[in-house]
Amino acid sequence: VLGAQKTLALGHGPLTAVTMGVFTGCIGGVLRDVLCGRTPWIFRSELYATASLAGAVVFVLVSPSGNPAIAMWAAFLTVVFV
C-alpha cells in the first residue's frame, strides 16, 4: 500500500500505482524471507502476489475519497478477509 500511496502522491496514474503497490509488497516479502534464510513465500505460492494486488487495487480505488487512512484500512480489510 505504501508503494501505491507514494506513486499517487507523485502524480502518477492508477495503473502505475497498482503496479508499484504490488511490486513493493512482493519485494518486501522476498527481502524479509531472504534475510531470515528462508525460501521466499512468493516462490512457493501466488497468494502473496494476489493479496498485494487486491490491497493495491482497493487502495487506489478508495484513495480519491481524500482520506488516506480510510483507503489504507479498506485495503487492509480486503487483504485480510479475501
Side-chain angles (χ1 to χ4, degrees):
V1 172
L2 291 176
Q5 182 183 22
K6 185 67 172 179
T7 303
L8 289 174
L10 291 172
H12 297 284
L15 183 61
T16 305
V18 168
T19 303
M20 291 306 296
V22 172
F23 184 74
T24 56
C26 290
I27 295 301
V30 168
L31 287 174
R32 178 204 60 220
D33 291 340
V34 168
L35 290 174
C36 291
R38 296 183 290 188
T39 301
W41 183 258
I42 196 165
F43 297 144
R44 294 181 279 154
S45 169
E46 67 276 348
L47 181 64
Y48 203 89
T50 305
S52 294
L53 177 63
V57 167
V58 169
F59 178 81
V60 168
L61 290 175
V62 177
S63 37
S65 70
N67 190 341
I70 290 174
M72 283 192 194
W73 273 106
F76 167 74
L77 292 173
T78 298
V79 170
V80 168
F81 291 112
V82 167

